[in-house]
Amino acid sequence: MSNNGRVEPISSWLMRDCMKNGHELGFHGYNHVSLVKRDWKKPEFIVTALEGVHKKWKVSNFGDMPISYVPPSNYIDQMGLKKLKEGLPSISFMCSLYLGETYEGGNREFDFDPYHHDMFDYPRISSGFEIDESSKYNIQSMYLYTGIWNHFVHPDDVYQIPSPFNKSAGEFELRNAKGLGWRKTKGKPGGLLSEFDKYLKEFTTAFPQSRFLNAGEGGFIALDWRASKFNHKTYDGKYIVEALNTENSMSNSQYWFLYGTTENAENIELQLKSIAVIYSKTKYLDGYLYSAYTNEPSFRIKDYREYRDKELDFIFSKVKNDYYSYVAKVREFEQGEDVSEVYEEQIRLEKAALKQRMLSESSIDYPTWNKYAEYMSWENKSEEVWIMLEKHCAKYPTKENVMYSQELDKLIGYPNDLAMEKWINAQLLVNPRDKDLLNSYVANFNTPENKKK
């Protein structure tokens, strides 16, 4: 390419253009051959090639040597990591995949690499300009867990289109299988740029505090986060989180995630206005996921948890049963046991935990009773649940407990007409002015015998 009378390779021009626009220059390989044993008959040539990269970088005045590396085809093994660090010691961040297999270069966490402790893994979760539903699920899952969305685009994402002459995909799927153009597509609305822009707007609308950082910036922040330690405690009705050893951190400012139910939203937001520089909220489950930014590495908010001892006992019992179920599944996998037997044991353990909670609490917890009733109905034992409810209401005859019989009827139905009449009578005793109940009773039991009653 000729530029102002100067002729240079297109690759060099592209590098300078990236530098001019403030982008980070990372490293993606000498010749796009993965650094794995099977692809290098003489692994010592890897170091020779990387030394060539170093020389080219310096001679061409590309600035500081790269610190981030994306493995070609996302493949790299233990040997490759060792040679990479030997040939390009400036590489500090290995940007492979969050998913996949460790031995191939995937399954990386935000942590020091399991094969080379002098490199920190800063993995990606998605790639390309078209974000399908599966990718969205992965992106959201990692973001909720870490607050990070790492994405990768590649020239193949544009030009790798369906064609009998295009063999560039190799063993992989085409990256632009729909054959979309960049800005527009013949016979189709929009192109790759508009598709990607649409998802960026969707994501930043959901999470408006998202920052767009390059691998070097984000890598150091992730490293600082993983090196940080936090203390969680409750005191005087407050839930308190405090960073420890803050003198070793990059900054005292901190981003936080907080989940709150809809009923607590107004009160939570009043508190956030006084403790956060900025906060935003995203509708999530039965409430909101709050993103908050503070100037201090501590966070204090009202402790909305109202766990009682019995509830904690139930949670402990449920976790213990889940662990036993996990152990059973592992045994089934290792020994080839019947999956149905393991599943039945899992259900039995969960039923036992549910029943323990039901019997230990005076007030009926609808979800707990509903789940237990559902399991019992699978075994044609619905009537036993009604007997349990009758005994429970005899011992704790509150309005809320008696009215649960309506909920149970919707779920598994009254066992017979006699039981139905008995429970509607009980409901009328605690709700004597409920016209719907009276009408239901008349519609079902308006018989000569009942008129005498």
Side-chain angles (χ1 to χ4, degrees):
M1 173 173 283
S2 178
N3 185 23
N4 295 326
R6 179 184 177 186
V7 179
E8 63 179 338
I10 292 178
S11 59
S12 296
W13 180 87
L14 287 169
M15 292 279 276
R16 297 187 198 287
D17 189 64
C18 285
M19 292 170 63
K20 184 173 66 177
N21 287 282
H23 297 297
E24 176 190 9
L25 296 179
F27 186 55
H28 188 45
Y30 169 77
N31 52 3
H32 209 272
V33 175
S34 302
L35 303 186
V36 294
K37 284 183 179 180
R38 66 173 180 269
D39 291 345
W40 292 80
K41 293 182 179 179
K42 295 187 176 183
E44 61 271 19
F45 285 0
I46 294 176
V47 176
T48 304
L50 295 176
E51 288 172 347
V53 170
H54 188 277
K55 183 177 180 180
K56 168 69 175 177
W57 204 284
K58 289 299 183 182
V59 168
S60 302
N61 293 317
F62 290 152
D64 294 335
M65 294 302 296
I67 62 173
S68 59
Y69 174 73
V70 173
S73 304
N74 301 308
Y75 292 146
I76 190 167
D77 60 18
Q78 190 168 7
M79 179 278 299
L81 283 162
K82 180 181 178 183
K83 296 298 182 184
L84 173 65
K85 192 67 176 176
E86 184 181 342
L88 270 185
S90 62
I91 299 295
S92 299
F93 299 108
M94 214 278 284
C95 307
S96 184
L97 297 180
Y98 190 73
L99 305 176
E101 300 293 340
T102 306
Y103 70 92
E104 289 184 329
N107 192 33
R108 273 0 190 227
E109 181 55 89
F110 294 95
D111 207 341
F112 289 101
D113 192 89
Y115 291 155
H116 202 301
H117 294 170
D118 287 336
M119 273 191 273
F120 187 83
D121 289 331
Y122 190 60
R124 301 122 52 214
I125 191 65
S126 56
S127 64
F129 294 101
E130 280 192 282
I131 312 298
D132 60 21
E133 292 303 310
S134 177
S135 293
K136 288 181 181 181
Y137 177 84
N138 292 336
I139 290 167
Q140 296 283 345
S141 295
M142 189 171 87
Y143 189 80
L144 288 172
Y145 187 62
T146 65
I148 299 172
W149 169 30
N150 278 346
H151 189 78
F152 177 77
V153 292
H154 194 282
D156 290 357
D157 299 324
V158 180
Y159 67 71
Q160 203 174 80
I161 59 175
S163 167
F165 305 104
N166 192 343
K167 307 296 183 182
S168 61
E171 62 185 86
F172 304 100
E173 296 180 358
L174 289 170
R175 297 196 184 190
N176 187 1
K178 295 179 182 177
L180 298 181
W182 179 239
R183 295 187 183 275
K184 57 184 180 180
T185 307
K186 187 176 180 179
K188 298 177 184 178
L192 291 170
L193 179 59
S194 60
E195 284 291 314
F196 192 51
D197 187 59
K198 182 169 66 176
Y199 184 68
L200 287 177
K201 289 176 180 175
E202 178 185 325
F203 186 86
T204 52
T205 298
F207 306 108
Q209 292 188 57
S210 301
R211 295 173 289 169
F212 290 87
L213 309 172
N214 61 41
E217 295 166 335
F220 281 114
I221 292 173
L223 175 58
D224 184 63
W225 159 54
R226 288 310 307 267
S228 301
K229 292 184 178 180
F230 293 84
N231 182 43
H232 293 248
K233 64 181 179 181
T234 56
Y235 177 75
D236 195 25
K238 295 275 188 180
Y239 190 87
I240 304 167
V241 187
E242 296 175 317
L244 305 175
N245 303 321
T246 54
E247 65 276 5
N248 299 322
S249 183
M250 291 174 61
S251 170
N252 280 333
S253 59
Q254 187 72 43
Y255 285 87
W256 311 86
F257 272 154
L258 167 71
Y259 173 76
T261 60
T262 303
E263 62 183 350
N264 293 325
E266 184 177 355
N267 188 264
I268 288 173
E269 288 162 30
L270 282 173
Q271 295 176 78
L272 287 176
K273 286 176 182 178
S274 65
I275 63 177
V277 175
I278 186 173
Y279 78 89
S280 57
K281 66 178 182 180
T282 304
K283 187 65 182 168
Y284 183 64
L285 298 177
D286 296 324
Y288 298 98
L289 178 68
Y290 292 93
S291 300
Y293 173 76
T294 61
N295 282 328
E296 300 295 328
S298 62
F299 198 87
R300 297 166 179 253
I301 198 162
K302 179 182 175 182
D303 190 352
Y304 290 95
R305 301 172 306 166
E306 297 178 351
Y307 292 143
R308 294 169 295 175
D309 290 341
K310 290 179 180 178
E311 289 176 313
L312 288 172
D313 289 342
F314 170 75
I315 293 170
F316 174 75
S317 177
K318 179 69 168 64
V319 171
K320 184 171 68 173
N321 286 336
D322 285 345
Y323 171 72
Y324 289 149
S325 297
Y326 165 75
V327 171
K329 286 181 179 179
V330 171
R331 185 173 60 247
E332 171 263 320
F333 176 77
E334 292 177 342
Q335 301 179 3
E337 294 179 4
D338 187 353
V339 176
S340 61
E341 291 181 4
V342 176
Y343 181 69
E344 287 173 6
E345 177 64 11
Q346 182 181 351
I347 296 297
R348 186 190 70 77
L349 292 169
E350 187 171 356
K351 276 172 52 184
L354 291 168
K355 188 172 183 179
Q356 178 184 334
R357 181 174 183 181
M358 292 160 65
L359 296 176
S360 66
E361 296 182 338
S362 58
S363 296
I364 288 178
D365 179 72
Y366 280 31
T368 303
W369 278 70
N370 285 352
K371 192 67 178 176
Y372 184 78
E374 182 183 7
Y375 285 151
M376 293 295 281
S377 68
W378 294 351
E379 302 173 16
N380 295 319
K381 295 180 179 179
S382 299
E383 194 165 353
E384 292 184 24
V385 184
W386 285 105
I387 294 171
M388 283 183 66
L389 179 62
E390 185 175 3
K391 291 180 179 179
H392 198 83
C393 289
K395 188 174 182 180
Y396 307 109
T398 64
K399 176 181 176 180
E400 290 74 16
N401 287 351
V402 172
M403 293 308 295
Y404 174 69
S405 57
Q406 283 188 326
E407 174 86 1
L408 191 58
D409 171 50
K410 294 176 186 176
L411 188 66
I412 60 176
Y414 292 112
N416 50 56
D417 288 344
L418 185 62
M420 180 181 180
E421 182 182 3
K422 181 170 65 176
W423 280 109
I424 294 181
N425 266 316
Q427 294 161 15
L428 283 168
L429 287 174
V430 295
N431 267 324
R433 297 184 180 181
D434 191 320
K435 293 182 180 179
D436 291 334
L437 273 176
L438 287 168
N439 290 335
S440 176
Y441 185 86
V442 171
N444 287 285
F445 303 106
N446 186 19
T447 64
E449 300 166 5
N450 287 334
K451 284 180 180 179
K452 291 179 182 178
K453 295 181 184 177

